[in-house]
Amino acid sequence: MSTSKTIKSALISVFSKDGLEPIVRKLHEQNVTFYSTGGTEDFIKNLGIPVVPVEDVTSYPSILGGRVKTLHPKIFGGILNRQDHEGDVQQMEEYQIPQIDLVIVDLYPFEKTVASGASEADIIEKIDIGGISLIRAAAKNFKDTVIVASVDQYADFLEVITKQNGALTLEDRKLFATKAFHVSSHYDTAIFNYFNTDDTVYKASVAEGQILRYGENPHQKGFFFGDFDAMFKKLHGKELSYNNLLDVDAAVNLILEFKNDDPTFAILKHNNACGLATRSTMRAAYLDALAGDPTSAFGGVLIANGKIDTETAKEINQLFCEVVIAPGYDETAIEILSEKKNRIILVQNDIELPQKQVRTCLNGLLVQDKDNVTDNKEHLKTVTTTPPSSGETEDLLFASKICKNTKSNTIVLAKNKQLIASGTGQTSRVDALKQAIEKANSFNFDLKGAVMASDAFFPFPDCVEIAHNAGITAVIQPGGSIKDELSINYCNENKVAMVFTGTRHFKH
């Protein structure tokens, strides 16, 4: 028994008519009867193609300003009837319900209306009722009905009916039904999130996913769900990998801390900054960022808070790096950076990032507010008799921004707005500090006059003692330990400045 069904009748009610004309003309060639309403009905008529108004089927006009048009038993009966069910067949004849083999819908643009900043009244009017009901009905009855639920599916549908002369297999119909439920669930999620004020309820839907070469490792499948093109314009290079995307995410969040600062350049590896500097020119910022750890910079992700000029590009081109990100480039800079075939060059667009962070955990999800606190002078409380100098204060805030965006436990050492070294992802804060000092010494940095940032408080004075002995003269930390006085007393005795921010910046 054949599972193919040939379309003989179609109900079309769409918001977007882009790409609809060739479908209507092809169906007309295949002797399909059209039913429609409102603007779509006029569209079909203007093509010189016969169309039956829905009102002629229902014997009921469009009412309530067009809010109620297709919501009628004769329409939904035509869509939902089971053609192999004796009772359904009898009732179709009894109530003179026309068979509808195909439904084409494109919903009101709810998300675009919200994004446009429209009034609540305009947004409410863009909640589609008839369209979403038609989609669900036709998708449910995919055994007998074809559903095309979005303008994004017009091209695929046209290809199928052209190749198969208006006949769709059961597999075809089920695939279109699956896409339809994706459209309807995404639409409803967007509406729910517009109304929802309860943080204990979480719903998310991403319309399209991108297949990655693989996941974190080659034996793992990987996908990215998001609008990458809204965030970046890709100018050159290979496709981004799962790990590239994680590093790019870390880079974007880090450089956001320095968005309005002087030229700042950062180099990241495995989600952590291995080099970062703020200078009067981008070239100088890059060179001093690279000096922070030229070994780790190999194969890293580079990001700037301003335009990359030709001179900076020449310096970057000497380094093997995976990704370069900036809000803009000189034309010559692009040419230079493009000399490496696989190097990914991204222009970062200025868009609002999500304010919720989500990650899988056990058999569920963890959701939290994004850490939007950037420590500034107003947050600082000097807790020692020796206050930090103005230069030390600038370095402390500089180090704090990096520390906030580095894996815990972390210690960041900085001097003259340059990342000297950091200890990252350690199980002990003392180990993190020792790692940072050892790394700084290995690259011949003079720690005398450097500052230290910690992502959490010191429960004992051991860290400030080790830091002081290494030459560090100022410390920034959140404070809050019941033994804060031990660290404060050590700093007072040794003329080390220490400030509290009152805000912890763990990053796990």
Side-chain angles (χ1 to χ4, degrees):
M1 180 179 174
S2 174
T3 60
S4 290
K5 287 186 178 290
T6 300
I7 297 168
K8 296 179 181 178
S9 59
L11 171 63
I12 307 179
S13 179
V14 301
F15 180 83
S16 177
K17 280 77 174 178
D18 294 342
L20 183 62
E21 180 178 345
I23 292 175
V24 173
R25 292 196 182 281
K26 178 56 67 175
L27 291 171
H28 180 55
E29 288 176 16
Q30 295 167 351
N31 299 314
V32 172
T33 300
F34 294 105
Y35 301 94
S36 191
T37 64
T40 309
E41 179 187 341
D42 292 338
F43 177 84
I44 297 172
K45 284 180 180 177
N46 289 336
L47 296 177
I49 295 173
V51 56
V52 179
V54 164
E55 290 91 335
D56 289 358
V57 177
T58 63
S59 299
Y60 218 93
S62 172
I63 62 172
L64 307 181
R67 283 189 167 196
V68 181
K69 292 178 286 194
T70 57
L71 296 169
H72 193 281
K74 281 199 172 183
I75 298 301
F76 281 84
I79 295 169
L80 282 164
N81 74 92
R82 295 157 291 185
Q83 295 178 21
D84 60 354
H85 188 282
E86 184 178 348
D88 285 7
V89 173
Q90 289 177 354
Q91 287 190 330
M92 291 284 285
E93 294 177 358
E94 179 182 357
Y95 296 109
Q96 297 181 330
I97 299 173
Q99 179 67 44
I100 297 175
D101 302 316
L102 165 68
V103 175
I104 302 179
V105 174
D106 184 62
L107 299 170
Y108 293 153
F110 179 83
E111 288 180 281
K112 289 182 179 178
T113 304
V114 173
S116 73
S119 67
E120 182 172 281
D122 287 340
I123 290 170
I124 299 303
E125 285 307 309
K126 288 299 184 288
I127 298 177
D128 207 312
I129 303 301
I132 205 79
S133 302
L134 291 170
I135 288 173
R136 291 178 61 83
K140 174 179 179 176
N141 202 34
F142 67 88
K143 285 181 65 178
D144 292 310
T145 310
V146 182
I147 174 63
V148 177
S150 166
V151 63
D152 296 331
Q153 297 166 23
Y154 289 1
D156 290 342
F157 177 69
L158 178 60
E159 182 179 359
V160 171
I161 60 173
T162 301
K163 286 183 177 180
Q164 299 171 193
N165 196 30
L168 281 83
T169 66
L170 180 61
E171 290 74 19
D172 292 331
R173 301 193 299 275
K174 193 170 186 177
L175 178 59
F176 277 109
T178 302
K179 293 178 179 179
F181 283 124
H182 174 49
V183 169
S184 66
S185 63
H186 180 81
Y187 196 76
D188 285 341
T189 297
I191 295 170
F192 169 79
N193 285 330
Y194 172 75
F195 284 100
N196 183 45
T197 57
D198 184 355
D199 286 340
T200 66
V201 180
Y202 177 77
K203 292 184 188 294
S205 176
V206 181
E208 294 183 14
Q210 176 184 344
I211 300 173
L212 304 174
R213 295 198 303 274
Y214 51 80
E216 202 163 7
N217 299 289
H219 63 280
Q220 296 169 270
K221 290 183 179 180
F223 306 87
F224 172 70
F225 293 93
D227 191 352
F228 184 85
D229 291 339
M231 279 210 65
F232 302 102
K233 179 181 179 181
K234 184 181 172 189
L235 302 180
H236 180 77
K238 63 184 179 180
E239 293 302 312
L240 279 88
S241 70
Y242 182 99
N243 293 333
N244 287 155
L245 289 168
L246 287 175
D247 283 333
V248 168
D249 177 71
V252 166
N253 283 292
L254 173 59
I255 209 68
L256 188 62
E257 307 284 348
F258 300 89
K259 182 177 180 179
N260 299 315
D261 292 6
D262 288 338
T264 300
F265 208 104
I267 305 172
L268 290 89
K269 198 75 171 289
H270 300 298
N271 303 169
N272 293 314
C274 58
L276 196 151
T278 298
R279 293 292 181 263
S280 59
T281 68
M282 196 60 74
R283 178 179 179 275
Y286 167 72
L287 290 174
D288 283 350
L290 179 63
D293 186 347
T295 302
S296 296
F298 182 86
V301 169
L302 282 57
I303 190 166
N305 72 343
K307 180 182 285 189
I308 292 180
D309 56 32
T310 301
E311 294 306 311
T312 307
K314 288 178 181 177
E315 299 291 351
I316 294 172
N317 206 35
Q318 299 177 47
L319 174 73
F320 168 71
C321 57
E322 291 271 357
V323 186
V324 181
I325 310 167
Y329 302 81
D330 287 347
E331 284 299 322
T332 309
I334 295 172
E335 293 175 8
I336 294 168
L337 295 173
S338 299
E339 289 175 5
K340 299 294 192 295
K341 178 182 177 181
N342 290 327
R343 179 183 285 148
I344 299 164
I345 305 173
L346 301 176
V347 176
Q348 183 180 346
N349 299 323
D350 187 11
I351 69 168
E352 185 176 347
L353 294 172
Q355 294 304 301
K356 296 286 185 183
Q357 293 178 318
V358 184
R359 66 196 300 181
T360 58
C361 181
L362 302 175
N363 62 346
L365 301 172
L366 286 173
V367 181
Q368 68 171 351
D369 294 336
K370 188 174 182 180
D371 182 357
N372 283 324
V373 175
T374 297
D375 297 327
N376 58 51
K377 289 182 181 180
E378 287 68 35
H379 296 152
L380 302 184
K381 178 184 178 183
T382 301
V383 295
T384 51
T385 53
T386 300
S389 66
S390 59
E392 287 173 331
T393 298
E394 288 187 359
D395 278 347
L396 288 169
L397 292 173
F398 173 89
S400 174
K401 292 176 180 179
I402 302 171
C403 193
K404 170 187 168 182
N405 290 275
T406 307
K407 295 288 185 181
S408 301
N409 284 324
T410 186
I411 292 289
V412 168
L413 307 180
K415 185 177 180 180
N416 299 326
K417 292 188 178 180
Q418 179 184 23
L419 172 60
I420 301 300
S422 59
T424 67
Q426 299 301 302
T427 53
S428 159
R429 201 160 299 279
V430 172
D431 287 344
L433 174 56
K434 289 179 177 178
Q435 181 191 61
I437 292 173
E438 181 181 352
K439 191 172 183 179
N441 289 334
S442 72
F443 291 113
N444 299 315
F445 282 109
D446 180 6
L447 288 174
K448 185 177 181 181
V451 305
M452 174 174 72
S454 173
D455 60 342
F457 62 64
F458 300 119
F460 303 102
D462 43 10
C463 279
V464 291
E465 181 178 356
I466 294 168
H468 167 247
N469 290 333
I472 288 161
T473 56
V475 178
I476 185 170
Q477 59 136 319
S481 169
I482 60 173
K483 296 182 179 180
D484 276 342
E485 288 302 319
L486 297 178
S487 295
I488 294 171
N489 290 340
Y490 181 89
C491 289
N492 283 336
E493 291 166 5
N494 294 277
K495 293 182 170 51
V496 175
M498 185 158 65
V499 296
F500 286 1
T501 65
T503 303
R504 188 183 74 186
H505 293 295
F506 270 159
K507 185 186 178 191
H508 290 94

